[in-house]
Amino acid sequence: MLSDAFLARLDTLRLAVRGRAAGGAGGSRRSRQTGSSAEFSDYREYIPGDDIRRIDWNAMARFDKVFLKLFMEEQESAVTVLLDGSASMGDKWEAARQAAEAVGYLALTGGDRLRVICLQADGNRISPPMSGRQAYARLEQFLDTCAPRGAGNLTESVMRAEGLRKGLCFLISDCYAEDGIGTALDSLRYRRQECAMIQVMSAFELNPELDGAVKLTDSESGESVDLLADREALENYRGTLASFLDGVRETCFRRETPCALLDAGQNFEEIWIPLISRSNML
Amino acid sequence: MLTFAAPQFALFLAVPAGIVVLYLLRRKYLPRLVPSTFLWQTAVRDHAANKPLQRLRKNLLLPVQFLAALVLALALMQPCLTGGKAARTVMIFDLSAGMQAVSDGRTRLDEAKERAEELLRGLPPGEEITVLSAGAEVRQVLTGSTDREDIRLAVRGLACGRTGADLDRAVSLAEAIRREDPERGTRIVVFSDNYIPPAGIGAVNAGKGAENRGVYALAAEEGSAYARICNYGGDCTLTLYCEADGRL
């Protein structure tokens, strides 16, 4: 869904990893280890999408299996995208999906192994592992099969997410959780994830234009709130919104997690690059 | 017993009723589906908790408006207490010849009668009216009547005499009536042209006393007539015509 021109712009960027990359597989990410020589380090099995120039033909001849050569300073990272698929994401889904695609693209072109998990109450949907630029089409296909539904408990869904290899983790959500996102982030960090938070909010949520007496019904839970939307009530909402956003930022800050606020009402391709470069995710 | 002096204003009771109806109609909430009421619930909770006075103000608005409109409508209807012993009014009419003086196209007596009717209209129902006429003698035209028609007829039927008026007698009679029943308030009003009443008595003076000259007494016997002419105004010259059997 992202335009080719935009993807071309993303080609010049790379996701930042502050910690040491997990060793053991070929990638184009620099590790902390010193040594700039293209020194042979290890083999790993080929998976579709890897650079075929790395294939060690000798090893293949010997073992009848395709192996890649790995070099010391090139190590790979795993990137996981956790996409909140609860019903509250309904009117932000497009922006959230685009964010998932953009992050996924950056991971794939950076030589990282990508996995996308769509968090849902009735069972998370997990994509197969992907790597290489060509896998982008598969990423799009996977996201096509996801749709926001159900009343989700974000923390629970995150804790149920499985198979997370040590690496980067991008959580894309509106952060609507009763107890905040702290527990979710902690559970990810416990599983050796280096987290980044992309909070998505819709235009209506950031700036509601309501008038008169309205009965707001929650699409997720079905609960409703009767409201007399006068100036005072809107002021009050804005105050609540501000403290909510501050709370999310603070929670992330305490855990050294970069945090970005994505406004679903704006043109994604225009705001995405400045947004993530500001948030130290590149 | 509570009655209303102006029951025609009962139609204004439609206003407080209308206010209630409008409030009831207003309470319709337009439904709107939003992805999440997560923030709104918190906002509404805070709003309610932090501003109890605001909520009170909003809740007070309807009953206060309703009460104000109700009280206004009731006031327009002029509630009054009647029953028990009603008050009394004694009207004394000066029927002296001077009351025939004409000013502004009507005689002073006519003016007095009009003002008496005005007074009547302002009195609550059930008030007992006594009409005394003070001419050469004092007569009780009507005593203790509550029938307004009767009173009006009696008042209209008053006519001036040719003599002076014994207002003092009339007033002392009225005061006697008052003393009869000291529990009740008795109002005494004298309708004259330049009467200065003693304390406790009201006076309605008709006419403008400036140029006043007239025949204050007239008596005729066989062969001779006696007339007394008085002039209360400035100096002037009068011509007196005397006719007998139509001949001058």
Side-chain angles (χ1 to χ4, degrees), chain B:
Chain B
M1 181 182 72
L2 181 73
T3 64
F4 292 100
Q8 62 272 22
F9 286 106
L11 68 91
F12 277 95
L13 286 175
V15 175
I19 290 178
V20 173
V21 166
L22 283 174
Y23 260 89
L24 289 175
L25 288 178
R26 203 176 86 146
R27 282 286 169 197
K28 278 208 183 98
Y29 287 99
L30 290 168
R32 181 157 176 175
L33 193 67
V34 292
S36 175
T37 54
F38 180 75
L39 290 177
W40 287 106
Q41 286 183 352
T42 315
V44 165
R45 251 205 316 269
D46 289 345
H47 189 55
N50 290 341
K51 304 254 173 91
L53 199 61
Q54 301 292 64
R55 286 196 78 201
L56 196 62
R57 195 147 57 97
K58 281 199 164 67
N59 284 340
L60 273 184
L61 210 56
L62 169 61
V64 164
Q65 284 177 350
F66 177 79
L67 276 176
L70 189 66
V71 164
L72 224 61
L74 286 176
L76 276 173
M77 284 165 61
Q78 295 183 21
C80 54
L81 291 169
T82 62
K85 292 183 176 179
R88 296 188 295 188
T89 299
V90 179
M91 295 202 286
I92 301 173
F93 286 90
D94 179 345
L95 294 181
S96 66
M99 290 296 279
Q100 282 178 327
V102 174
S103 53
D104 288 339
R106 57 182 179 172
T107 67
R108 286 182 186 174
L109 183 60
D110 288 336
E111 192 183 327
K113 285 181 191 175
E114 275 176 30
R115 292 172 71 171
E117 293 224 358
E118 265 176 47
L119 176 68
L120 262 183
R121 276 197 292 272
L123 292 176
E127 180 111 346
E128 287 176 16
I129 317 281
T130 300
V131 179
L132 301 177
S133 67
E137 303 160 339
V138 173
R139 288 203 352 255
Q140 287 197 341
V141 178
L142 203 59
T143 309
S145 167
T146 52
D147 187 333
R148 295 295 163 97
E149 264 316 298
D150 279 350
I151 297 165
R152 283 198 194 98
L153 278 173
V155 166
R156 281 189 212 133
L158 294 172
C160 289
R162 297 193 198 128
T163 58
D166 197 348
L167 284 176
D168 293 333
R169 264 289 278 290
V171 165
S172 54
L173 179 56
E175 279 175 340
I177 294 176
R178 184 187 259 170
R179 278 193 296 274
E180 256 176 35
D181 197 348
E183 299 289 310
R184 287 201 217 175
T186 308
R187 178 185 9 214
I188 303 175
V189 184
V190 175
F191 292 88
S192 179
D193 50 3
N194 57 356
Y195 180 71
I196 298 166
I201 295 174
V204 174
N205 286 319
K208 299 175 279 242
E211 297 289 317
N212 189 10
R213 46 190 168 272
V215 179
Y216 272 82
L218 182 64
E221 281 178 344
E222 250 189 89
S224 64
Y226 166 75
R228 185 166 124 229
I229 300 165
C230 296
N231 176 19
Y232 288 112
D235 289 337
C236 61
T237 315
L238 281 179
T239 312
L240 178 66
Y241 290 95
C242 183
E243 285 189 15
D245 286 342
R247 276 186 301 158
L248 192 60

Side-chain angles (χ1 to χ4, degrees), chain A residues 4 8 30 37 40 56 77 81 101 114 120 162 178 182 191 195 202 221 252:
Chain A
D4 289 337
R30 290 213 160 276
S37 63
F40 172 69
D56 188 336
S77 232
V81 173
E101 282 178 7
L114 174 70
Q120 284 179 326
E162 289 178 342
E178 283 295 326
R191 286 178 274 177
C195 299
S202 73
S221 62
C252 292

